[in-house]
Amino acid sequence: MLLLLLTASVSAEQVVVQQDFVDLRSGPGRGYPVVQVALKHDTLVLLKQRTGWLKVQYRQQQLWLAATDLDYLYPTGSEQSLAALWQDNQTPARWQLGVAAGDFAGTSYYQLSASYLFSDVVALELSAGQGSGQLASNQQFLLQLGLSPWPHWRLSPYFALGGGVLLTRQRTVLVQTPERNSPLATMELGVNYPLSQRVQANVRYRRALISTERDINEETNTWLIGLRVAF
C-alpha cells in the first residue's frame, strides 16, 4: 500500500530525509548492523515494504529502513511526511476476530474472540472458550484489556488484565450434579506475529485466579496458539 501511495505522489518512490540522520541497516531487523547513515536532505528510493521495515536504495546500495522513520521522510515538494500521507490514506482496522486452541488445566481448550482496537497499543477483547476433560467440561467467558507497548516490532509482546466467569459441569453418570459458576480474574502474556497486513498469529499464556465457594481460591494455567483477522 505504501508503494502505491508513493506512485501517486509527485516524485513517485523518491523521498528526502528531513531529520538530522536515519540509520540504514543491512537487513530488515534491529539485529542487523547499521552500515550507512542517511543525513538530512539526502535522497532515498523506496523499493519494497515488509512489515515494520522498508527496503531502500541509497548511494547504489540496497539497505533497510525502520518504518518508524517514516515521520522523517518527505516526498519531494510535499509538506507532509510519508507517515502522515500513509495515515491519511489508510482505513484503520479497529476490529479483530480470533480463533485459538490449546490447553486449559490439562484439558483441551478452544476459544473464539472479538477485539476492538482503541489504538495500536490498547485493545479490549471479549472471548468465549470451551474446555473438555474426562472428569468435567467447562466454559469461560472473559473480558480483557490488553496493551502492546511495541506494536511495530516483528514479534510484538503484549499483556492483558481482565476477568469473567468459569462454568464447570462435572461428568457423572449416576448423580446429576449442578453446574458450578465461578468468577475469575486473569493475567495474560503473549506475542503477536504478523502473517500479512490483516492476519497475525499469536502465542499466549494466561494465569487465572478462580474464586470458589471454599475458602481457598484456585489457580489455573492456559496455553493457546491462535490467529486473529483484522477488518
Side-chain angles (χ1 to χ4, degrees):
M1 179 179 290
L2 178 57
L3 294 183
L4 291 176
L5 173 62
L6 292 173
T7 302
S9 67
V10 175
S11 57
E13 300 171 3
Q14 186 169 299
V15 295
V16 178
V17 178
Q18 296 292 355
Q19 173 73 356
D20 291 340
F21 67 90
V22 292
D23 292 333
L24 301 176
R25 299 176 182 270
S26 62
R30 298 289 179 185
Y32 292 92
V34 176
V35 296
Q36 286 281 7
V37 175
L39 302 178
K40 190 171 185 178
H41 303 313
D42 281 350
T43 298
L44 304 175
V45 177
L46 302 189
L47 303 175
K48 179 181 178 181
Q49 178 192 356
R50 180 179 294 183
T51 304
W53 293 88
L54 296 153
K55 192 175 186 179
V56 303
Q57 182 172 321
Y58 177 68
R59 295 181 179 175
Q60 309 305 315
Q61 289 183 286
Q62 293 187 1
L63 304 170
W64 290 86
L65 172 82
T68 51
D69 289 332
L70 288 176
D71 283 324
Y72 314 131
L73 304 182
Y74 286 64
T76 302
S78 174
E79 296 182 356
Q80 284 187 292
S81 69
L82 282 179
L85 291 170
W86 197 4
Q87 186 65 37
D88 290 344
N89 285 270
Q90 264 194 322
T91 301
R94 292 302 185 192
W95 291 94
Q96 290 182 336
L97 293 179
V99 59
D103 178 274
F104 167 69
T107 65
S108 298
Y109 187 76
Y110 305 93
Q111 176 178 288
L112 297 175
S113 64
S115 303
Y116 180 78
L117 281 66
F118 296 99
S119 68
D120 290 341
V121 176
V122 182
L124 188 66
E125 180 186 77
L126 178 66
S127 64
Q130 174 74 46
S132 181
Q134 293 183 349
L135 301 179
S137 63
N138 58 74
Q139 294 177 314
Q140 287 188 47
F141 300 93
L142 302 175
L143 185 65
Q144 298 188 120
L145 183 66
L147 297 176
S148 300
W150 304 281
H152 300 297
W153 287 12
R154 187 68 173 171
L155 281 174
S156 176
Y158 78 92
F159 63 93
L161 296 174
V165 62
L166 174 67
L167 308 179
T168 304
R169 178 172 296 172
Q170 300 295 327
R171 296 183 182 276
T172 59
V173 178
L174 299 178
V175 180
Q176 185 70 27
T177 58
E179 186 176 71
R180 189 174 65 187
N181 184 329
S182 305
L184 71 164
T186 60
M187 184 278 293
E188 183 170 304
L189 300 174
V191 176
N192 295 318
Y193 182 82
L195 301 178
S196 69
Q197 185 177 356
R198 298 286 182 176
V199 181
Q200 63 178 207
N202 58 76
V203 177
R204 54 173 74 181
Y205 164 74
R206 182 187 302 146
R207 184 76 168 176
L209 180 65
I210 304 172
S211 178
T212 67
E213 297 177 353
R214 306 185 301 274
D215 293 335
I216 300 176
N217 293 329
E218 297 178 0
E219 295 184 358
T220 61
N221 299 315
T222 303
W223 293 92
L224 292 169
I225 298 176
L227 295 173
R228 290 193 184 105
V229 179
F231 62 96

